[in-house]
């Protein structure tokens, strides 16, 4: 997302670039959160205060809200599903803002059943979202690259 945003940062693509930079930061935060902000790599112990609050005794936030995780994942899944199922309406709205090129392709609808099913399983959901983001980023890069002729 960062590479695409950097390439689209001038002229009429500034809003697209900004959204792509936000997506890049969001993905980086997800990655850091998933590796417990380096705890898994560098092997430090969890501070005692955090250990009591965290379901897996790790240095991250997403395991502190275990009771709400399933609800958060369901709401996120339904939001993504609505964007993909009602793609034309979302696309019209995004086009008015000059962001239509950022809409995931129609084929992304195939992720919806996986998202809905996986929302009750922590790790599976994280993997499905990660695959979705990687496929979306690659597709977006191919569609928005200079001289690209890949349909949306």
């Amino acid at each position: 997302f960062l590479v695409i945003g950097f390439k689209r940062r001038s002229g009429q693509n500034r809003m697209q670039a900004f959204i792509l930079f936000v997506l890049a930061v969001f993905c980086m935060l997800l990655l850091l959160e998933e590796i417990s902000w380096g705890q898994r790599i560098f092997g430090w112990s969890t501070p005692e205060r955090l250990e009591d609050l965290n379901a897996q005794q790790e240095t991250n936030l997403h395991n502190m809200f275990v009771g709400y995780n399933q609800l958060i994942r369901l709401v996120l899944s339904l939001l993504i599903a609505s964007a993909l199922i009602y793609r034309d309406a979302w696309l019209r709205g995004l086009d008015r803002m000059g962001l239509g090129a950022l809409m995931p392709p129609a084929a992304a609808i195939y992720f919806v059943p996986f998202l809905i099913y996986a929302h009750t399983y922590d790790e599976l959901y994280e993997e499905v979202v990660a695959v979705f983001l990687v496929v979306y980023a690659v597709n977006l890069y191919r569609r928005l690259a200079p001289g690209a002729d890949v349909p949306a």
Side-chain angles (χ1 to χ4, degrees):
F1 296 115
L2 194 59
V3 171
I4 305 164
F6 187 74
K7 287 183 176 187
R8 301 186 70 78
R9 71 187 185 285
S10 63
Q12 63 186 9
N13 297 321
R14 285 181 180 227
M15 185 58 150
Q16 286 180 9
F18 174 74
I19 297 296
L20 290 167
F21 284 127
V22 168
L23 273 171
V25 168
F26 176 73
C27 287
M28 181 58 77
L29 291 174
L30 284 178
L31 172 71
L32 290 169
E33 181 69 12
E34 199 52 40
I35 62 168
S36 299
W37 300 91
Q39 180 180 16
R40 292 176 184 247
I41 295 170
F42 302 112
W44 69 69
S45 60
T46 304
E48 196 172 310
R49 255 179 124 172
L50 227 94
E51 201 170 88
D52 295 338
L53 298 173
N54 193 294
Q56 293 182 359
Q57 289 77 43
E58 297 173 327
T59 309
N60 59 36
L61 299 174
H62 73 277
N63 289 327
M64 292 173 67
F65 305 105
V66 173
Y68 298 101
N69 278 351
Q70 191 171 341
L71 177 63
I72 292 167
R73 289 191 304 266
L74 180 62
V75 169
L76 181 61
S77 296
L78 293 174
L79 181 65
I80 293 170
S82 76
L84 296 174
I85 292 169
Y86 300 107
R87 187 176 188 279
D88 291 340
W90 278 73
L91 192 54
R92 281 192 300 277
L94 289 171
D95 277 340
R96 280 191 292 255
M97 295 183 284
L99 300 172
L102 301 181
M103 185 69 182
I109 191 76
Y110 294 110
F111 275 100
V112 171
F114 295 106
L115 285 170
I116 301 293
Y117 172 77
H119 89 276
T120 58
Y121 303 99
D122 293 339
E123 300 303 321
L124 179 60
Y125 187 81
E126 292 167 1
E127 291 166 9
V128 170
V129 170
V131 168
F132 175 80
L133 288 171
V134 168
V135 170
Y136 173 56
V138 169
N139 177 271
L140 199 59
Y141 182 80
R142 290 183 61 218
R143 286 189 291 128
L144 298 182
D149 191 26
V150 178

